[in-house]
């Protein structure tokens, strides 16, 4: 590893990047759903006209409106996050139907390989962790470097420790727990001890769109 400590690495990575290091075979849908959830948690984006638990009927996430959140543009976004943020940079104050935003994100991602190997690799923390063989340079794909394998092991260990310690810490020392949650940012989405129903709903909407695209192609 570099001089950056492993805990610091977790604090610098977006959840989609962490997930890709931990599970290089992860599919695009998973990477996109964690990217969007992270942007909502960090209040870069905000959902309006959406009630996850309506009194009557069902509320579909795809019908919600997405608008810029209070922290929009407060820091420089990562390149892979721009698949969701670009419409709001292009037109400040835009209100985009969730289904349409997901469609735009899938289009901007282009493909799983492009999203992984081009958009997510722009972060300096990611570059030393992956390499391409000669064949992969021609046909696509990449592997973890030795440094990447160490990072993978350490990230898994860190998340396992957080999974065990954070729930108890939230009861015994909320200030310390809050500081830790702030440090790991959206990576809290990857913890098994924290369940976000919206993550699954985002995944369901993306799956529906993928099935629609496949149906149209056939």
């Amino acid at each position: 590893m570099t001089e950056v400590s492993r805990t610091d690495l977790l604090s610098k990575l977006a959840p989609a990047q962490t997930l890709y290091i931990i599970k290089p075979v992860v599919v695009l849908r998973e990477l996109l759903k964690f990217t969007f959830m992270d942007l909502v948690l960090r209040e870069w984006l905000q959902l309006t006209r959406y009630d996850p638990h309506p009194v009557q009927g069902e509320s579909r996430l795809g019908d919600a409106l997405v608008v810029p959140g209070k922290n929009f543009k407060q820091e420089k976004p990562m390149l892979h996050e721009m698949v969701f943020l670009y419409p709001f940079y292009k037109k400040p104050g835009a209100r985009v139907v969730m289904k349409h935003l997901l469609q735009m994100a899938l289009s901007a991602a282009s493909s799983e390989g492009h999203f992984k190997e081009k958009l997510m690799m722009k972060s300096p923390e990611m570059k030393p962790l992956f390499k391409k063989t000669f064949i992969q340079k021609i046909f696509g794909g990449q592997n973890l470097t030795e440094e990447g394998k160490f990072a993978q092991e350490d990230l898994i260990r860190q998340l396992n420790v957080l999974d065990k310690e954070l729930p108890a810490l939230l009861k015994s020392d909320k200030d310390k727990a809050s500081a830790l949650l702030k440090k790991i940012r959206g990576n809290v989405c990857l913890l098994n001890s924290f369940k976000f129903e919206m993550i699954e709903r985002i995944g369901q909407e993306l799956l529906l769109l993928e099935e629609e695209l496949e149906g149209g192609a056939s």
Side-chain angles (χ1 to χ4, degrees):
M1 288 293 293
T2 60
E3 292 80 4
V4 178
S5 73
R6 282 120 191 187
T7 306
D8 283 343
L9 179 61
L10 186 61
S11 72
K12 293 177 182 294
L13 295 173
Q17 293 173 318
T18 302
L19 183 58
Y20 181 39
I21 296 167
I22 291 172
K23 187 181 178 183
V25 296
V26 63
V27 297
L28 177 62
R29 180 173 65 253
E30 294 292 299
L31 298 172
L32 288 177
K33 78 178 186 182
F34 281 104
T35 298
F36 183 81
M37 188 68 209
D38 182 33
L39 291 169
V40 171
L41 286 177
R42 287 161 50 207
E43 298 184 272
W44 270 65
L45 296 178
Q46 178 183 345
L47 293 172
T48 64
R49 295 185 185 178
Y50 174 65
D51 181 0
H53 303 292
V55 177
Q56 293 182 334
E58 293 186 5
S59 179
R60 182 179 167 181
L61 181 61
D63 297 328
L65 284 178
V66 185
V67 300
K70 69 177 185 180
N71 292 330
F72 184 65
K73 290 188 178 181
Q74 290 300 302
E75 58 185 280
K76 186 177 180 180
M78 295 183 180
L79 185 59
H80 74 278
E81 295 172 335
M82 287 300 294
V83 300
F84 287 108
L85 297 175
Y86 176 74
F88 304 101
Y89 274 83
K90 184 178 180 181
K91 186 179 179 181
R95 297 158 66 86
V96 185
V97 175
M98 177 70 173
K99 179 180 178 180
H100 296 161
L101 183 62
L102 293 178
Q103 287 173 328
M104 287 187 278
L106 280 168
S107 177
S110 181
S111 68
E112 182 179 307
H114 183 264
F115 191 79
K116 288 178 174 179
E117 299 165 30
K118 301 294 184 181
L119 303 188
M120 288 204 295
M121 287 299 114
K122 291 298 183 181
S123 298
E125 292 81 15
M126 295 289 285
K127 290 179 181 179
L129 307 184
F130 290 87
K131 64 180 179 181
K132 280 179 171 287
T133 63
F134 176 75
I135 296 297
Q136 287 172 331
K137 289 178 181 178
I138 301 173
F139 296 104
Q142 55 188 11
N143 301 324
L144 289 169
T145 60
E146 285 303 309
E147 185 173 346
K149 292 175 183 177
F150 282 123
Q152 182 187 59
E153 293 174 1
D154 283 312
L155 288 170
I156 291 171
R157 180 179 57 80
Q158 286 286 338
L159 291 172
N160 285 336
V161 170
L162 289 169
D163 248 332
K164 294 176 182 177
E165 296 184 353
L166 258 178
L169 198 59
L170 281 167
K171 295 179 181 178
S172 63
D173 192 337
K174 288 187 177 180
D175 289 340
K176 187 175 180 179
S178 295
L180 194 51
L181 284 169
K182 185 177 180 180
K183 184 175 183 181
I184 67 171
R185 306 193 307 168
N187 285 297
V188 67
C189 298
L190 301 176
L191 298 179
N192 294 319
S193 53
F194 290 80
K195 297 297 181 183
F196 295 90
E197 183 181 339
M198 187 180 292
I199 292 177
E200 297 310 312
R201 294 200 177 200
I202 296 167
Q204 290 166 5
E205 292 293 337
L206 284 165
L207 182 59
L208 287 172
L209 288 174
E210 287 177 351
E211 290 173 347
E212 287 178 12
L213 289 171
E214 289 174 2
S218 63

